[in-house]
């Protein structure tokens, strides 16, 4: 007969966790290095710079493009450096947080991957081989990493390795996974809403585009509501569940309806980019319905997550 493993036995995964921690720390450090370096591009596009053109500045496409890249570098550094440390020290919170981030990537991975590819390819002078390799890596990052990662971190061996190296439970372990993923999603949506300010404050309201100060004001109110809902979600208040359901239903309807009813030229007209950028962007074969799908998928998945999390908002004795 085959001997059964004792209940407490497991394969120690410390070595692989340290390797993964080193990789995460390295990627985060590289991102932290490139964040400030990328700011130099503003000099290149500003007046007197090698790539300057009339109209470059706050509200132009390239200005927002560069700003989003810099924000992305800093976010990667802020997330991966602590996670790398947590893996190297085998801290229990790093396993839970990594799982939450992997589920977050399942929800927003496709549009983020495509958006990152678009920003990268429009801002960088890449060779065809480099471009293809970068796109393949981006695609693999969505289809391979979440599946393998979730399976790995949910395995008994990994969980017991963290528990053995860090015996004291952490507070984040008391948070149900759907709630943790929702909070991470809300933080991402808050950053995305801020990014819209760089693009003339563009914001849809049930078929109509708002921009300029009017659009930024609506973004501001939307952000304040999201902050309140995030607090309510963290504390698992019952009103927060209903609030998030209504809030994201409204966002989903506003974005998808407005994009479906808009042509690419309608969107560009609302963005009011400089003439030089408009001439280039007009040639792109996009339509509002393409963006409706990209935006609608993560919103619909977010609504699905909110519905699934309802039981965690019930009154607790």
């Amino acid at each position: 007969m085959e001997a059964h493993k004792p209940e407490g036995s497991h394969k120690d995964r410390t070595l692989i966790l340290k390797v993964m921690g080193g990789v995460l720390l390295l990627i985060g450090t590289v991102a932290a290095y490139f964040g400030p370096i990328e700011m130099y591009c503003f000099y290149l596009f500003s007046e007197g710079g090698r790539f300057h053109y009339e109209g470059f500045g706050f509200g132009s496409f390239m200005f927002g493009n560069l700003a989003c890249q810099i924000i992305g570098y800093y976010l990667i550094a802020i997330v991966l450096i602590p996670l790398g440390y947590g893996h190297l020290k085998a801290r229990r919170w790093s396993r839970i947080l990594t799982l939450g981030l992997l589920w977050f990537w399942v929800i927003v991975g496709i549009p983020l991957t495509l958006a990152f590819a678009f920003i990268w390819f429009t801002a960088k002078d890449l060779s065809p081989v480099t471009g293809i390799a970068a796109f393949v890596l981006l695609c693999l990052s969505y289809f391979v990493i979440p599946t393998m990662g979730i399976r790995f971190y949910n395995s008994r061996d990994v969980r017991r390795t963290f528990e053995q190296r860090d015996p004291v439970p952490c507070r984040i372990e008391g948070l149900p996974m759907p709630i943790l993923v929702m909070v991470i999603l809300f933080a991402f949506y808050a950053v995305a809403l801020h990014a819209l300010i760089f693009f003339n404050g563009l914001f849809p309201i049930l078929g109509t585009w708002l921009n300029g100060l009017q659009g930024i004001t609506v973004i501001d109110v939307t952000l304040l509501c999201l902050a309140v809902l995030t607090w309510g979600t963290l504390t698992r208040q019952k009103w927060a569940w209903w609030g998030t359901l209504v809030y994201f239903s409204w966002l989903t309807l506003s974005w998808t309806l407005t994009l479906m009813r808009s042509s690419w030229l309608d969107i560009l007209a609302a963005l009011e980019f400089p003439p030089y950028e408009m001439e280039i962007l007009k040639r792109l074969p996009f339509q509002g319905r393409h963006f409706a799908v990209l935006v609608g998928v993560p919103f619909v998945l977010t609504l699905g997550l909110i519905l699934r999390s309802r039981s965690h908002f019930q009154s607790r004795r």
Side-chain angles (χ1 to χ4, degrees), residues 163-310:
E163 291 173 352
Q164 186 180 61
R165 295 286 307 279
D166 187 15
V168 181
C170 57
R171 293 183 62 182
I172 197 174
E173 287 180 291
L175 203 62
M177 185 55 64
I179 301 294
L180 176 61
V181 178
M182 286 172 63
V183 171
I184 295 173
L185 276 169
F186 295 171
F188 165 75
Y189 287 130
V191 173
L193 285 168
H194 278 92
L196 292 174
I197 298 173
F198 291 107
F199 298 96
N200 200 26
L202 190 68
F203 196 87
I205 298 290
L206 299 176
T208 303
W209 290 109
L210 302 179
N211 58 16
L213 181 58
Q214 190 178 32
I216 293 174
T217 301
V218 175
I219 291 172
D220 191 14
V221 174
T222 306
L223 281 166
L224 290 173
C225 292
L226 184 58
V228 174
L229 291 172
T230 302
W231 174 80
T233 299
L234 271 172
T235 54
R236 298 162 67 181
Q237 303 290 327
K238 197 169 184 179
W239 58 262
W241 185 86
W242 287 105
T244 55
L245 184 63
V246 172
Y247 180 90
F248 281 97
S249 296
W250 171 71
L251 281 181
T252 303
L253 183 61
S254 284
W255 276 95
T256 55
L257 177 64
T258 308
L259 286 168
M260 287 296 293
R261 295 178 57 181
S262 301
S263 67
W264 178 229
L265 293 180
D266 292 334
I267 299 172
L268 289 178
L271 286 165
E272 297 180 355
F273 288 146
Y276 174 77
E277 293 181 342
M278 292 287 280
E279 287 301 316
I280 296 174
L281 293 172
K282 282 179 181 178
R283 304 170 193 165
L284 299 178
F286 294 140
Q287 291 298 330
R289 62 180 179 273
H290 300 144
F291 296 100
V293 173
L294 285 178
V295 173
V297 168
F299 275 149
V300 169
L301 291 176
T302 299
L303 284 171
L305 177 63
I306 292 170
L307 291 171
R308 186 179 181 276
S309 69
R310 183 177 182 180

Side-chain angles (χ1 to χ4, degrees), residues 114-141:
L114 293 176
F116 186 81
F118 178 72
I119 291 173
W120 191 301
F121 296 147
T122 54
K124 309 293 184 185
D125 185 15
L126 302 178
S127 67
V129 174
T130 304
I132 293 173
F135 187 74
V136 170
L137 288 174
L138 287 172
C139 291
L140 289 176
S141 71

